[in-house]
Amino acid sequence: MYRSTVLRAVTGLLVVAAAAYGAASAIGSTPAESVNANFVSGPFHIVFTAERAADTPATAASGTFHATASVGSIGLLTLAGPVTCLDIVGHDIGLFYAVGSADPAAVYDAIHGVYIYVTDSRAGKPEDVNFVPSTSSTASSCAPIPAIVPITSGTAQIDPPTPAVKRTTLAVSHNSTLDKTIVVGSGGRTLYELSPETTRHLLCTQAKGCFSVWPPLKVSSAKTKLTAGAGIKGKLRILRRGRIFQVTLGGHPLYYFSGDRSKPGAASGQGLHSFGGRWHVVTATASATTPTTTSTTTTPVYPPGY
């Protein structure tokens, strides 16, 4: 009875998470890459290996995945299957595996695949992970999104090791749906700000669950160089928020929206009301002609309640 109740709760949480996240999109030529992981996060014990040949799409990956969840001596579920997608950006790893076996078998009715987003243990920053279940057994892409669930023990490592990301560039793009020139981040993903939030008055916090829906635009350290593309107005800075470093523009923290499913040009978060304010796509002008670079950072003390 207890096992069944906990199992339903765990499965329910996974299905809810699937609604908040989607497959990311970034396919292109890459060097050969591989990852090995054996770690614990909450009730989950994760073990996987994955590799991808040079100049092949993310969906040409291979490997194996095995996950168990338990509370004390009570086993809740087991999931296993082949890795079919691997994408690495800096120290962030994204992969997808198709569920080949599940215990209890009923879990397979709800989960046919799982996206995993995890930070390389050698990144010099906190190691985090996300688990995003899917009702599909295939994935068209698996580009990493920010991971926020702490890894409590173990490692996940990229081979060969990748250097820390030293530069983050914000670009501009014309959004035909909004008919506006907007600011975009990695892979052309739309960036948002929350009004009336500022760096001195933070409304979107991890403690409130905001980061699960609105992942912050993060960099690896306060020393990262920030580059603003033509047409972006306002000072780029870096805000230290406990365990992460978030990019800000003109005094406003920048975020992605999980509902955009990481698709370039998607802007479904425009005008939404949540977490004490209204979300707006960050707009730009077409007047600037050259990018500007800054290494200026700010690391204020994070306010109580974070």
Side-chain angles (χ1 to χ4, degrees), residues 230-231 233 284-290:
K233 292 187 175 181
T285 67
S287 59
T289 57
T290 57

Side-chain angles (χ1 to χ4, degrees), residues 111-293:
I111 303 173
H112 288 185
V114 180
Y115 293 90
I116 303 294
Y117 306 105
V118 62
T119 305
D120 181 9
S121 301
R122 295 171 291 205
K125 59 183 179 180
E127 301 152 30
D128 300 310
V129 63
N130 279 359
F131 313 96
V132 185
S134 173
T135 56
S136 173
S137 60
T138 61
S140 60
S141 60
C142 57
I145 62 174
I148 60 175
V149 180
I151 292 176
T152 51
S153 64
T155 62
Q157 295 187 336
I158 299 168
D159 185 27
T162 58
V165 176
K166 299 295 185 181
R167 182 184 298 273
T168 292
T169 300
L170 272 60
V172 298
S173 175
H174 181 75
N175 187 286
S176 58
T177 301
L178 301 176
D179 194 24
K180 293 180 179 180
T181 301
I182 66 171
V183 180
V184 298
S186 175
R189 293 177 61 192
T190 302
L191 288 167
Y192 298 83
E193 61 186 15
L194 177 61
S195 177
E197 182 182 62
T198 68
T199 55
R200 297 180 179 275
H201 179 57
L202 296 172
L203 298 174
C204 180
T205 67
Q206 183 171 334
K208 294 178 181 178
C210 184
F211 289 4
S212 297
V213 183
W214 300 91
L217 172 58
K218 299 191 297 184
V219 292
S220 59
S221 76
K223 296 181 180 180
T224 301
K225 291 186 179 296
L226 305 175
T227 300
I232 297 177
K233 292 187 175 181
K235 190 72 171 179
L236 283 173
R237 295 184 181 274
I238 297 173
L239 175 69
R240 183 169 185 172
R241 303 186 63 172
R243 289 157 53 90
I244 71 169
F245 298 93
Q246 183 177 13
V247 178
T248 69
L249 177 62
H252 300 281
L254 299 179
Y255 303 86
Y256 294 116
F257 178 47
S258 62
D260 287 345
R261 297 181 181 272
S262 303
K263 294 179 181 178
S268 54
Q270 171 71 359
L272 295 182
H273 290 267
S274 64
F275 299 100
R278 185 175 182 180
W279 294 91
H280 299 278
V281 169
V282 181
T283 58
T285 67
S287 59
T289 57
T290 57
T292 58
T293 301

